[in-house]
Amino acid sequence: MQTSIIKTSIILFVVVTIVFSTIYTPQAILPTLKGVFHISVLEINLLLSGMLFVLMIATPFYIPISNRFGKKNIMIFCTFFLFLSVLLSSITSNFYVLLFSRFLQGVFVPGITAIMLSYVQEIYPKNHRGLGMGIYMAATSFGAVIGRLLAGWITFLYSWRIAFLVFAILLFIAFFAMIFALPVNKTELTNKRVINKDALFSFLSNIKILSVLIIPTIVFFSFMAISTFATYHLAQEPFNLDASQLGNIFLVLLLGVIISPLAGRYSDIIGRLRIIYLGIAILILGIFLTLSQSISLVIAGLGLVTMGMFSVQSVTPTYLGELVPEKKATISILYQSFFYLGGCLGTFLPSIFWEYYKYNGVTSFCIALILIGSLPLAYINFNKKKEA
């Protein structure tokens, strides 16, 4: 049993890392791609924002499909077509074909990410589920780092097409790893969970739940905005970093691997909301530091932005599950949709501020959004304590 768990854990970590790395592949090389295609920041950022928008829309549709055809089968299918779409990215010289390939990736990625959360809880024994979820969360963070880091290095040494080709090869490896190494959950066909549409609408009309769902949206919005536009900021005077150096900057995202389990653990001790508020405060402080003219302070700021984001995202799903314990599957889908909405908008809307006000405008907008978006939850909980 122990050997089987170790094998499953290793394969799970590798597969999730590879899949999540493809989401963020273009981020470190956006300035390079902008120069290659001679287009605006708003247009080139569609490689991220457009993909995340499609991902957000596609996420809810995979749950009923996986209930019918089986989680592992759907994940294998989506991994293969994700491989083909990333391969298309590597062979095109046309921006619109590249953008189309990214949209395709947005269609197939949630067929793995949206299903994997419940799949992990089903393939691990009850007393090892915490281990499984910890490995999954660590792999998502590690994948975000690898996607940016490798893309920056490979683009600097070879070309952006080779960078996409490398990730296509990794996905092909993940495809076979899924087929031959990940177990099939033998009980899932007798334990189907259906997303209740009425519950979705009732949650969206519940002010308390909606105020909590806004938090991952604004936090991931700010994280994607800062990590995206920091690359443009650092590629300019006085920093003038190249593609490989920009890729190296994203090593700070490894802090997410460390902070995620710590935030979860301490939320059990001091409360979920306190960790959420603490994460928001750290995030804002980090954004302020990225405005510095010192590269060391900018890196420290990006580190704090990472810590703040992962602190909030590690605790929010658990807090939502505690608010509606009988509808965890439904609230999980809502959480993921709001989360990716934030990522989509976070690479699109700030482009407007960048065009007119550069990096100062982006950071000011993010801080204002975080403060305004946090007010409803703070107000509700303040009144709750007052009534108590």
Side-chain angles (χ1 to χ4, degrees):
M1 176 66 77
Q2 197 67 30
T3 304
S4 174
I5 290 172
I6 292 172
K7 176 189 170 184
T8 299
S9 298
I10 292 172
I11 298 301
L12 175 68
F13 185 86
V14 170
V15 168
V16 173
T17 294
I18 293 171
V19 170
F20 269 84
S21 69
T22 63
I23 298 176
Y24 303 104
T25 301
Q27 193 169 30
I29 59 174
L30 286 175
T32 300
L33 293 173
K34 179 179 178 293
V36 168
F37 293 108
H38 305 291
I39 55 180
S40 69
V41 168
L42 188 63
E43 290 174 300
I44 201 67
N45 279 1
L46 286 172
L47 294 175
L48 274 175
S49 61
M51 188 262 198
L52 288 169
F53 177 77
V54 175
L55 196 158
M56 175 195 69
I57 297 298
T59 294
F61 292 96
Y62 277 102
I63 300 302
I65 294 174
S66 69
N67 284 337
R68 181 172 181 181
F69 297 103
K71 292 181 175 65
K72 182 177 175 180
N73 292 335
I74 295 299
M75 289 192 294
I76 290 171
F77 174 88
C78 288
T79 303
F80 179 73
F81 282 95
L82 181 59
F83 151 71
L84 292 180
S85 58
V86 175
L87 185 63
L88 176 61
S89 298
S90 72
I91 61 176
T92 184
S93 57
N94 183 289
F95 171 72
Y96 295 103
V97 176
L98 178 61
L99 183 60
F100 174 70
S101 73
R102 289 291 291 172
F103 286 175
L104 285 179
Q105 290 161 45
V107 171
F108 296 116
V109 165
I112 308 158
T113 58
I115 295 171
M116 189 68 81
L117 275 171
S118 56
Y119 172 79
V120 167
Q121 296 181 63
E122 292 170 358
I123 61 171
Y124 277 85
K126 190 172 182 180
N127 59 335
H128 286 87
R129 283 176 188 167
L131 170 67
M133 289 307 295
I135 289 168
Y136 173 84
M137 291 303 295
T140 63
S141 176
F142 192 63
V145 176
I146 292 299
R148 296 163 167 106
L149 190 66
L150 277 184
W153 285 350
I154 297 169
T155 298
F156 178 75
L157 294 172
Y158 302 102
S159 72
W160 62 269
R161 288 191 186 88
I162 297 297
F164 279 111
L165 179 60
V166 167
F167 284 101
I169 293 169
L170 289 174
L171 280 167
F172 197 61
I173 294 169
F175 169 69
F176 282 103
M178 272 192 177
I179 293 174
F180 297 110
L182 283 182
V184 176
N185 175 31
K186 294 182 172 57
T187 63
E188 71 173 342
L189 295 177
T190 59
N191 187 30
K192 296 181 179 180
R193 291 183 179 179
V194 180
I195 301 301
N196 189 320
K197 294 179 182 178
D198 291 335
L200 283 174
F201 289 114
S202 68
F203 291 156
L204 290 174
S205 61
N206 184 310
I207 301 300
K208 175 67 178 291
I209 292 174
L210 191 59
S211 69
V212 178
L213 287 169
I214 289 171
I215 299 299
T217 308
I218 59 174
V219 167
F220 195 47
F221 177 102
S222 301
F223 174 77
M224 289 301 292
I226 297 302
S227 58
T228 298
F229 288 93
T231 60
Y232 296 114
H233 180 54
L234 294 171
Q236 297 178 340
E237 295 286 350
F239 307 105
N240 296 318
L241 301 189
D242 58 39
S244 67
Q245 291 171 321
L246 289 173
N248 290 339
I249 291 292
F250 288 107
L251 279 170
V252 299
L253 298 185
L254 287 173
L255 288 169
V257 179
I258 302 168
I259 202 69
S260 294
L262 287 176
R265 174 178 176 141
Y266 280 101
S267 71
D268 289 330
I269 300 170
I270 66 174
R272 317 284 184 215
L273 283 173
R274 287 182 180 175
I275 293 294
I276 289 173
Y277 293 140
L278 179 60
I280 289 171
I282 292 172
L283 175 62
I284 292 174
L285 176 59
I287 293 174
F288 273 119
L289 284 182
T290 62
L291 289 167
S292 171
Q293 296 299 299
S294 163
I295 186 66
S296 298
L297 286 178
V298 173
I299 293 172
L302 289 172
L304 290 177
V305 167
T306 301
M307 291 172 66
M309 196 279 288
F310 277 98
S311 295
V312 173
Q313 304 300 356
S314 297
V315 173
T316 307
T318 307
Y319 183 57
L320 283 166
E322 290 170 349
L323 290 177
V324 283
E326 73 286 353
K327 298 288 184 183
K328 286 184 179 180
T330 305
I331 201 68
S332 174
I333 289 299
L334 265 182
Y335 164 77
Q336 290 187 61
S337 296
F338 271 73
F339 177 76
Y340 287 118
L341 173 64
C344 164
L345 296 178
T347 50
F348 177 73
L349 288 182
S351 301
I352 302 168
F353 289 86
W354 173 268
E355 290 293 329
Y356 292 99
Y357 307 107
K358 298 303 177 185
Y359 191 64
N360 286 348
V362 173
T363 54
S364 299
F365 179 62
C366 287
I367 291 170
L369 186 67
I370 293 168
L371 293 173
I372 294 170
S374 302
L375 284 175
L377 182 61
Y379 177 77
I380 289 170
N381 284 285
F382 176 77
N383 280 347
K384 185 179 178 181
K385 287 182 180 178
K386 197 174 178 182
E387 289 172 4

